[in-house]
Amino acid sequence: MSLIAAKCTQCGANIEVDDSHEAGICKYCGTPFITEKVINNYNQNISIDNATINVQGVNIDNLLLRAQQFELEGDIEKAEEYYNKVLDIDINNASAQRAMERIRTQGTMMFNGVRVPADVTKRIDSYCKSGDYVLAIKELRAATGAGLKEAKDEIDSIVQKNGYAQPTRNSSGTSSSSQNGCYIATCVYGSYDCPEVWTLRRFRDYTLDTTWYGRLFIKVYYATSPTVVKIFGDTKWFRNVWKKRLDKMVSKLNNKGVLNTKYSDKY
């Protein structure tokens, strides 16, 4: 028994058939076929502008139909694969182009002129729904380069629009987490309560605060950093410069045994 290359006339899948049998069933879509037809379908040629291009019998209408079926079933990856097959044959196919644009933008969000990918949008929504606003803000800032205030306002808007539980606020309008220190770190990481800032707060309370020069540094830092953050906190270059330095510092402190778990200030 020899197997011959063929192509299903229904779904366009490449198959192999036994030419000694008059008919068979496609293993991909389950459609019965006539052996002679699927073999001819495989070898079909299309003439375009006097050039002969062997497209191995692909039927664009069938590919579009299969892609639409997959999209309706929620199998976006498979739908995208079939729409791309159509565009490989006819790059100007309007139906496939519109479908690919729809798939690319499905489940995404626009913020500050940047389209946030669907997977990031989904995580942000999940964090908002569960009350993990710090993580939601960090995701949004990482994806768009937004400033802290812009990201917080957008997350508040998402929470309000979807009816999720609102984060509690103190009289100053900031998050209920303490804002008594680590101004630059809070600006960089998006919250006073996150693993990186917990690490730095422990370092402040149990290392810097134990020496006179450490306490002097804390005093000078608290006197100057609020103004610095107020002026430069919403600029991307400021956050990028400080994040690289703080990331290294936090990593070294963690390696030395300083914990990054939830922490309440010493004083």
mmCIF file of all heavy atoms in Angstrom, residues 216-240:
data_model
loop_
_atom_site.group_PDB
_atom_site.id
_atom_site.type_symbol
_atom_site.label_atom_id
_atom_site.label_comp_id
_atom_site.label_asym_id
_atom_site.label_seq_id
_atom_site.Cartn_x
_atom_site.Cartn_y
_atom_site.Cartn_z
ATOM 1 N N LEU A 216 21.536 60.196 60.501
ATOM 2 C CA LEU A 216 21.707 61.471 59.803
ATOM 3 C C LEU A 216 21.262 61.345 58.349
ATOM 4 O O LEU A 216 20.598 62.235 57.811
ATOM 5 C CB LEU A 216 23.177 61.910 59.870
ATOM 6 C CG LEU A 216 23.518 63.217 59.120
ATOM 7 C CD1 LEU A 216 22.736 64.390 59.712
ATOM 8 C CD2 LEU A 216 25.030 63.487 59.192
ATOM 9 N N PHE A 217 21.647 60.221 57.723
ATOM 10 C CA PHE A 217 21.236 59.983 56.334
ATOM 11 C C PHE A 217 19.708 59.946 56.224
ATOM 12 O O PHE A 217 19.118 60.532 55.308
ATOM 13 C CB PHE A 217 21.822 58.667 55.817
ATOM 14 C CG PHE A 217 21.293 58.267 54.465
ATOM 15 C CD1 PHE A 217 21.837 58.811 53.311
ATOM 16 C CD2 PHE A 217 20.248 57.357 54.363
ATOM 17 C CE1 PHE A 217 21.335 58.456 52.059
ATOM 18 C CE2 PHE A 217 19.746 57.005 53.118
ATOM 19 C CZ PHE A 217 20.293 57.549 51.971
ATOM 20 N N ILE A 218 19.064 59.234 57.150
ATOM 21 C CA ILE A 218 17.603 59.140 57.139
ATOM 22 C C ILE A 218 16.972 60.527 57.241
ATOM 23 O O ILE A 218 16.028 60.862 56.522
ATOM 24 C CB ILE A 218 17.105 58.237 58.288
ATOM 25 C CG1 ILE A 218 17.561 56.787 58.058
ATOM 26 C CG2 ILE A 218 15.585 58.287 58.401
ATOM 27 C CD1 ILE A 218 17.289 55.867 59.234
ATOM 28 N N LYS A 219 17.522 61.354 58.137
ATOM 29 C CA LYS A 219 16.984 62.692 58.356
ATOM 30 C C LYS A 219 17.107 63.547 57.093
ATOM 31 O O LYS A 219 16.151 64.234 56.689
ATOM 32 C CB LYS A 219 17.714 63.362 59.522
ATOM 33 C CG LYS A 219 17.129 64.706 59.923
ATOM 34 C CD LYS A 219 17.826 65.237 61.168
ATOM 35 C CE LYS A 219 17.200 66.577 61.590
ATOM 36 N NZ LYS A 219 17.843 67.112 62.828
ATOM 37 N N VAL A 220 18.290 63.511 56.466
ATOM 38 C CA VAL A 220 18.501 64.287 55.244
ATOM 39 C C VAL A 220 17.611 63.763 54.115
ATOM 40 O O VAL A 220 17.020 64.539 53.344
ATOM 41 C CB VAL A 220 19.987 64.234 54.826
ATOM 42 C CG1 VAL A 220 20.193 64.883 53.455
ATOM 43 C CG2 VAL A 220 20.859 64.914 55.869
ATOM 44 N N TYR A 221 17.516 62.450 54.020
ATOM 45 C CA TYR A 221 16.697 61.824 52.969
ATOM 46 C C TYR A 221 15.237 62.262 53.091
ATOM 47 O O TYR A 221 14.597 62.643 52.107
ATOM 48 C CB TYR A 221 16.818 60.307 53.066
ATOM 49 C CG TYR A 221 15.911 59.557 52.116
ATOM 50 C CD1 TYR A 221 16.279 59.372 50.784
ATOM 51 C CD2 TYR A 221 14.703 59.028 52.546
ATOM 52 C CE1 TYR A 221 15.454 58.683 49.900
ATOM 53 C CE2 TYR A 221 13.876 58.345 51.680
ATOM 54 C CZ TYR A 221 14.243 58.181 50.363
ATOM 55 O OH TYR A 221 13.428 57.512 49.498
ATOM 56 N N TYR A 222 14.691 62.212 54.315
ATOM 57 C CA TYR A 222 13.299 62.593 54.526
ATOM 58 C C TYR A 222 13.066 64.079 54.300
ATOM 59 O O TYR A 222 11.960 64.499 53.970
ATOM 60 C CB TYR A 222 12.848 62.210 55.932
ATOM 61 C CG TYR A 222 12.576 60.733 56.112
ATOM 62 C CD1 TYR A 222 12.317 60.200 57.363
ATOM 63 C CD2 TYR A 222 12.582 59.879 55.011
ATOM 64 C CE1 TYR A 222 12.062 58.847 57.536
ATOM 65 C CE2 TYR A 222 12.332 58.531 55.165
ATOM 66 C CZ TYR A 222 12.080 58.016 56.427
ATOM 67 O OH TYR A 222 11.827 56.674 56.579
ATOM 68 N N ALA A 223 14.111 64.867 54.456
ATOM 69 C CA ALA A 223 13.970 66.311 54.269
ATOM 70 C C ALA A 223 13.975 66.701 52.792
ATOM 71 O O ALA A 223 13.371 67.708 52.409
ATOM 72 C CB ALA A 223 15.091 67.038 55.005
ATOM 73 N N THR A 224 14.653 65.901 51.966
ATOM 74 C CA THR A 224 14.817 66.277 50.560
ATOM 75 C C THR A 224 14.020 65.443 49.564
ATOM 76 O O THR A 224 13.561 65.951 48.541
ATOM 77 C CB THR A 224 16.299 66.186 50.165
ATOM 78 O OG1 THR A 224 16.767 64.837 50.378
ATOM 79 C CG2 THR A 224 17.137 67.146 50.994
ATOM 80 N N SER A 225 13.838 64.154 49.840
ATOM 81 C CA SER A 225 13.246 63.260 48.838
ATOM 82 C C SER A 225 11.789 63.595 48.479
ATOM 83 O O SER A 225 11.402 63.426 47.314
ATOM 84 C CB SER A 225 13.358 61.799 49.280
ATOM 85 O OG SER A 225 12.716 61.582 50.510
ATOM 86 N N PRO A 226 10.936 64.070 49.416
ATOM 87 C CA PRO A 226 9.568 64.409 49.007
ATOM 88 C C PRO A 226 9.537 65.467 47.906
ATOM 89 O O PRO A 226 8.741 65.372 46.966
ATOM 90 C CB PRO A 226 8.932 64.928 50.305
ATOM 91 C CG PRO A 226 9.703 64.270 51.388
ATOM 92 C CD PRO A 226 11.111 64.208 50.877
ATOM 93 N N THR A 227 10.402 66.448 47.999
ATOM 94 C CA THR A 227 10.455 67.508 46.978
ATOM 95 C C THR A 227 10.966 66.948 45.656
ATOM 96 O O THR A 227 10.440 67.278 44.580
ATOM 97 C CB THR A 227 11.373 68.653 47.441
ATOM 98 O OG1 THR A 227 10.880 69.167 48.682
ATOM 99 C CG2 THR A 227 11.397 69.763 46.406
ATOM 100 N N VAL A 228 11.989 66.100 45.734
ATOM 101 C CA VAL A 228 12.551 65.497 44.518
ATOM 102 C C VAL A 228 11.487 64.674 43.794
ATOM 103 O O VAL A 228 11.321 64.778 42.568
ATOM 104 C CB VAL A 228 13.768 64.610 44.864
ATOM 105 C CG1 VAL A 228 14.233 63.847 43.626
ATOM 106 C CG2 VAL A 228 14.903 65.457 45.426
ATOM 107 N N VAL A 229 10.751 63.873 44.559
ATOM 108 C CA VAL A 229 9.699 63.027 43.963
ATOM 109 C C VAL A 229 8.583 63.892 43.389
ATOM 110 O O VAL A 229 8.031 63.588 42.322
ATOM 111 C CB VAL A 229 9.152 62.041 45.014
ATOM 112 C CG1 VAL A 229 7.899 61.348 44.493
ATOM 113 C CG2 VAL A 229 10.216 61.006 45.370
ATOM 114 N N LYS A 230 8.240 64.963 44.075
ATOM 115 C CA LYS A 230 7.175 65.843 43.599
ATOM 116 C C LYS A 230 7.534 66.457 42.257
ATOM 117 O O LYS A 230 6.676 66.615 41.373
ATOM 118 C CB LYS A 230 6.920 66.951 44.624
ATOM 119 C CG LYS A 230 5.741 67.849 44.274
ATOM 120 C CD LYS A 230 5.475 68.859 45.379
ATOM 121 C CE LYS A 230 4.272 69.744 45.047
ATOM 122 N NZ LYS A 230 4.010 70.737 46.124
ATOM 123 N N ILE A 231 8.805 66.805 42.074
ATOM 124 C CA ILE A 231 9.244 67.448 40.833
ATOM 125 C C ILE A 231 9.469 66.435 39.712
ATOM 126 O O ILE A 231 9.039 66.642 38.577
ATOM 127 C CB ILE A 231 10.536 68.248 41.080
ATOM 128 C CG1 ILE A 231 10.275 69.389 42.082
ATOM 129 C CG2 ILE A 231 11.075 68.816 39.762
ATOM 130 C CD1 ILE A 231 11.533 70.128 42.503
ATOM 131 N N PHE A 232 10.147 65.321 40.042
ATOM 132 C CA PHE A 232 10.572 64.385 38.995
ATOM 133 C C PHE A 232 9.846 63.045 39.003
ATOM 134 O O PHE A 232 10.056 62.222 38.109
ATOM 135 C CB PHE A 232 12.083 64.105 39.121
ATOM 136 C CG PHE A 232 12.941 65.324 39.032
ATOM 137 C CD1 PHE A 232 13.600 65.814 40.150
ATOM 138 C CD2 PHE A 232 13.102 65.990 37.831
ATOM 139 C CE1 PHE A 232 14.404 66.940 40.073
ATOM 140 C CE2 PHE A 232 13.902 67.123 37.726
ATOM 141 C CZ PHE A 232 14.549 67.604 38.857
ATOM 142 N N GLY A 233 8.986 62.809 39.987
ATOM 143 C CA GLY A 233 8.402 61.476 40.174
ATOM 144 C C GLY A 233 7.629 60.925 39.001
ATOM 145 O O GLY A 233 7.556 59.708 38.818
ATOM 146 N N ASP A 234 7.040 61.791 38.174
ATOM 147 C CA ASP A 234 6.239 61.311 37.044
ATOM 148 C C ASP A 234 7.034 61.214 35.753
ATOM 149 O O ASP A 234 6.470 60.945 34.698
ATOM 150 C CB ASP A 234 5.028 62.226 36.823
ATOM 151 C CG ASP A 234 3.912 61.939 37.812
ATOM 152 O OD1 ASP A 234 3.835 60.790 38.284
ATOM 153 O OD2 ASP A 234 3.139 62.858 38.122
ATOM 154 N N THR A 235 8.346 61.418 35.818
ATOM 155 C CA THR A 235 9.166 61.321 34.613
ATOM 156 C C THR A 235 9.758 59.914 34.487
ATOM 157 O O THR A 235 10.176 59.312 35.473
ATOM 158 C CB THR A 235 10.316 62.347 34.633
ATOM 159 O OG1 THR A 235 11.168 62.089 35.755
ATOM 160 C CG2 THR A 235 9.755 63.759 34.735
ATOM 161 N N LYS A 236 9.774 59.414 33.264
ATOM 162 C CA LYS A 236 10.233 58.047 33.024
ATOM 163 C C LYS A 236 11.715 57.891 33.320
ATOM 164 O O LYS A 236 12.147 56.883 33.885
ATOM 165 C CB LYS A 236 9.931 57.664 31.574
ATOM 166 C CG LYS A 236 10.178 56.205 31.258
ATOM 167 C CD LYS A 236 9.707 55.874 29.851
ATOM 168 C CE LYS A 236 9.903 54.393 29.542
ATOM 169 N NZ LYS A 236 9.435 54.066 28.176
ATOM 170 N N TRP A 237 12.521 58.890 32.938
ATOM 171 C CA TRP A 237 13.962 58.769 33.136
ATOM 172 C C TRP A 237 14.318 58.674 34.615
ATOM 173 O O TRP A 237 15.221 57.921 34.997
ATOM 174 C CB TRP A 237 14.696 59.953 32.498
ATOM 175 C CG TRP A 237 14.463 61.291 33.165
ATOM 176 C CD1 TRP A 237 13.555 62.236 32.809
ATOM 177 C CD2 TRP A 237 15.144 61.808 34.317
ATOM 178 N NE1 TRP A 237 13.615 63.310 33.662
ATOM 179 C CE2 TRP A 237 14.595 63.082 34.594
ATOM 180 C CE3 TRP A 237 16.173 61.324 35.139
ATOM 181 C CZ2 TRP A 237 15.017 63.874 35.658
ATOM 182 C CZ3 TRP A 237 16.602 62.118 36.200
ATOM 183 C CH2 TRP A 237 16.027 63.371 36.449
ATOM 184 N N PHE A 238 13.581 59.423 35.452
ATOM 185 C CA PHE A 238 13.839 59.407 36.894
ATOM 186 C C PHE A 238 13.584 58.009 37.463
ATOM 187 O O PHE A 238 14.416 57.465 38.214
ATOM 188 C CB PHE A 238 12.940 60.442 37.579
ATOM 189 C CG PHE A 238 13.071 60.476 39.082
ATOM 190 C CD1 PHE A 238 14.077 61.196 39.701
ATOM 191 C CD2 PHE A 238 12.174 59.775 39.894
ATOM 192 C CE1 PHE A 238 14.198 61.227 41.090
ATOM 193 C CE2 PHE A 238 12.280 59.802 41.273
ATOM 194 C CZ PHE A 238 13.297 60.531 41.871
ATOM 195 N N ARG A 239 12.452 57.423 37.087
ATOM 196 C CA ARG A 239 12.109 56.083 37.605
ATOM 197 C C ARG A 239 13.089 55.037 37.095
ATOM 198 O O ARG A 239 13.490 54.138 37.838
ATOM 199 C CB ARG A 239 10.677 55.724 37.210
ATOM 200 C CG ARG A 239 9.628 56.660 37.799
ATOM 201 C CD ARG A 239 8.235 56.079 37.656
ATOM 202 N NE ARG A 239 7.908 55.787 36.279
ATOM 203 C CZ ARG A 239 7.358 56.661 35.434
ATOM 204 N NH1 ARG A 239 7.090 57.894 35.850
ATOM 205 N NH2 ARG A 239 7.070 56.325 34.189
ATOM 206 N N ASN A 240 13.481 55.145 35.827
ATOM 207 C CA ASN A 240 14.408 54.157 35.265
ATOM 208 C C ASN A 240 15.775 54.207 35.942
ATOM 209 O O ASN A 240 16.370 53.172 36.260
ATOM 210 C CB ASN A 240 14.567 54.381 33.761
ATOM 211 C CG ASN A 240 13.341 53.980 32.971
ATOM 212 O OD1 ASN A 240 12.500 53.235 33.473
ATOM 213 N ND2 ASN A 240 13.218 54.462 31.751
#
